[in-house]
Amino acid sequence: MACNSSYWDIDDILAEEELTPVTNMLDFRHLAHLDPDYVHGVGGPSVVENDDKGFQQSQSQSQPSKGKERYIRTAINTTLAKEKKFKMPLWSIKDWATTGFVTVHFPRHYRRNARERLGADPESADLRKRSERFFMSGISLIDLVQNRVRAIQSSKDPRTSRTKKREQSEQINKLTNEAQQLKYTLLLTFTGPRMRRTYDWTCSAIEDDVSAYTKKLTEMERRLFARGAAASHAYTMWKVHGSRRINISETALRTNVMSSSRSNTNPTTSSLEDKKTPNHKRSTSSNYVSPDDDRTTRGLGKRTRSVY
């Protein structure tokens, strides 16, 4: 099952809005707001400043002191600490995941438990409640994982320690297995009993109310259902009205009119050749009689022999 992505395709744009859990492997400066537990304006080390008034004041209490005054205030920490788990749209973490700045985790509805439940009863699953573009987002997630695997394989350094190589190989095997299992689940879910049931509903979509069924379908399945319903409706109309005369298209009619008008305005090739041929040559060629003809012996070819 391939997904031909395009920069201007609205479906690809909406599919990549899927919130994906990630864990940062480095400290991200000025990105503390990505942490779901972050509160703006709170946290960070204390910073001491000097003043000229002669007492020391803190946030909790103020005490007089000799000399200059000092204010203690709380600095705002804007650094996202290492190994924080947060969610980001799929389109925004492509470069981070490829370079290894973050570790990508599957969303809940793509993990092993969800895949097992989906494989047990795919017909009754409400995939639209999980994600409107369940299949397209899953394909984009698989592509992201495969790009990360290729990046790890291409960045192997012979100077890397054995422990590091073992960790990289384990990571490659884990990512590859998860991507393959997710691809297998998506393929069976889309082309299995759900597709057969969608086909059955398209045959009865003309008379029955199918809104209760279509509200559980993803965007890709709804398009498939619409095409099947349109084909079923066209087949029904054909059986009711029967075969009728096929009208000629307007394009073909205009082409015939233009070709006939050109033939009337332009002379034919034979008429042009007749106009170009002199009169004496035409008469000579038409009245020519061979000397071996029997008419010459009977005196019937005098006029023609004189011309010859």
Side-chain angles (χ1 to χ4, degrees), residues 158-171:
R159 295 172 296 179
T160 307
S161 61
R162 294 182 178 179
T163 305
K164 187 67 174 179
K165 289 181 179 180
R166 185 170 59 254
E167 292 177 356
Q168 289 181 353
S169 62
E170 292 177 356
Q171 186 179 6

Side-chain angles (χ1 to χ4, degrees), residues 191-239:
T191 61
R194 290 179 67 91
M195 178 175 287
R196 291 195 297 269
R197 189 174 182 182
T198 300
Y199 174 75
D200 294 338
W201 276 96
T202 55
C203 296
S204 60
I206 300 176
E207 301 176 356
D208 300 339
D209 184 13
V210 295
S211 59
Y213 175 72
T214 55
K215 69 180 182 180
K216 297 181 180 181
L217 301 180
T218 61
E219 196 66 27
M220 186 181 295
E221 290 175 329
R222 283 190 176 184
R223 293 186 179 183
L224 182 64
F225 178 85
R227 293 185 179 182
S232 179
H233 177 71
Y235 176 69
T236 304
M237 292 297 101
W238 176 80
K239 289 195 300 182

Side-chain angles (χ1 to χ4, degrees), residues 49-58 61-72:
E49 294 182 353
N50 292 330
D51 200 357
D52 296 333
K53 292 186 179 181
F55 65 93
Q56 184 178 5
Q57 183 178 1
S58 65
Q61 60 183 359
S62 59
Q63 298 177 354
S65 61
K66 297 180 180 179
K68 299 181 179 180
E69 291 182 354
R70 293 183 298 177
Y71 290 96
I72 301 178

Side-chain angles (χ1 to χ4, degrees), residues 97-113:
T98 304
T99 54
F101 290 170
V102 296
T103 301
V104 180
H105 309 284
F106 282 176
R108 181 176 299 177
H109 47 272
Y110 291 122
R111 295 176 186 173
R112 185 180 63 181
N113 295 334

Side-chain angles (χ1 to χ4, degrees), residues 11-283:
D11 290 323
D12 291 337
I13 295 174
L14 295 177
E16 291 182 353
E17 290 290 333
E18 181 74 26
L19 291 178
T20 306
V22 295
T23 302
N24 59 320
M25 308 307 296
L26 302 171
D27 292 338
F28 289 170
R29 298 186 60 183
H30 307 292
L31 293 179
H33 59 277
L34 297 178
D35 188 1
D37 298 332
Y38 173 75
V39 180
H40 183 71
V42 178
S46 299
V47 178
V48 179
E49 294 182 353
N50 292 330
D51 200 357
D52 296 333
K53 292 186 179 181
F55 65 93
Q56 184 178 5
Q57 183 178 1
S58 65
Q59 289 181 342
S60 58
Q61 60 183 359
S62 59
Q63 298 177 354
S65 61
K66 297 180 180 179
K68 299 181 179 180
E69 291 182 354
R70 293 183 298 177
Y71 290 96
I72 301 178
R73 65 180 177 84
T74 303
I76 299 175
N77 187 10
T78 60
T79 301
L80 181 64
K82 182 180 178 181
E83 295 183 355
K84 285 287 185 179
K85 193 173 183 179
F86 54 95
K87 293 183 179 181
M88 291 286 290
L90 194 59
W91 61 267
S92 63
I93 59 174
K94 286 185 176 180
D95 294 336
W96 285 357
T98 304
T99 54
F101 290 170
V102 296
T103 301
V104 180
H105 309 284
F106 282 176
R108 181 176 299 177
H109 47 272
Y110 291 122
R111 295 176 186 173
R112 185 180 63 181
N113 295 334
R115 293 198 301 265
E116 291 177 354
R117 290 193 299 268
L118 187 60
D121 189 10
E123 296 184 19
S124 61
D126 190 358
L127 296 182
R128 192 173 185 85
K129 187 177 180 180
R130 303 179 185 182
S131 177
E132 292 185 358
R133 290 166 175 80
F134 180 82
F135 297 100
M136 300 180 67
S137 299
I139 294 171
S140 300
L141 187 61
I142 291 172
D143 293 339
L144 180 63
V145 172
Q146 291 177 350
N147 292 336
R148 175 54 184 162
V149 171
R150 285 192 290 267
I152 295 175
Q153 292 175 349
S154 61
S155 63
K156 288 185 177 180
D157 191 355
R159 295 172 296 179
T160 307
S161 61
R162 294 182 178 179
T163 305
K164 187 67 174 179
K165 289 181 179 180
R166 185 170 59 254
E167 292 177 356
Q168 289 181 353
S169 62
E170 292 177 356
Q171 186 179 6
I172 289 174
N173 294 333
K174 181 181 178 181
L175 294 175
T176 304
N177 292 333
E178 289 183 354
Q180 291 295 334
Q181 292 175 4
L182 179 58
K183 184 188 297 185
Y184 182 74
T185 301
L186 294 178
L187 183 61
L188 289 183
T189 304
F190 183 76
T191 61
R194 290 179 67 91
M195 178 175 287
R196 291 195 297 269
R197 189 174 182 182
T198 300
Y199 174 75
D200 294 338
W201 276 96
T202 55
C203 296
S204 60
I206 300 176
E207 301 176 356
D208 300 339
D209 184 13
V210 295
S211 59
Y213 175 72
T214 55
K215 69 180 182 180
K216 297 181 180 181
L217 301 180
T218 61
E219 196 66 27
M220 186 181 295
E221 290 175 329
R222 283 190 176 184
R223 293 186 179 183
L224 182 64
F225 178 85
R227 293 185 179 182
S232 179
H233 177 71
Y235 176 69
T236 304
M237 292 297 101
W238 176 80
K239 289 195 300 182
V240 171
H241 299 287
S243 58
R244 292 176 293 179
R245 182 178 179 181
I246 300 176
N247 298 325
I248 303 175
S249 63
E250 296 181 358
T251 305
L253 291 176
R254 286 197 296 267
T255 304
N256 294 334
V257 171
M258 293 175 62
S259 60
S260 61
S261 61
R262 289 178 182 177
S263 62
N264 293 332
T265 54
N266 298 329
T268 58
T269 307
S270 59
S271 61
L272 290 176
E273 291 179 354
D274 293 341
K275 290 183 178 181
K276 292 180 181 179
T277 306
N279 293 329
H280 68 280
K281 289 186 178 180
R282 289 202 300 270
S283 62

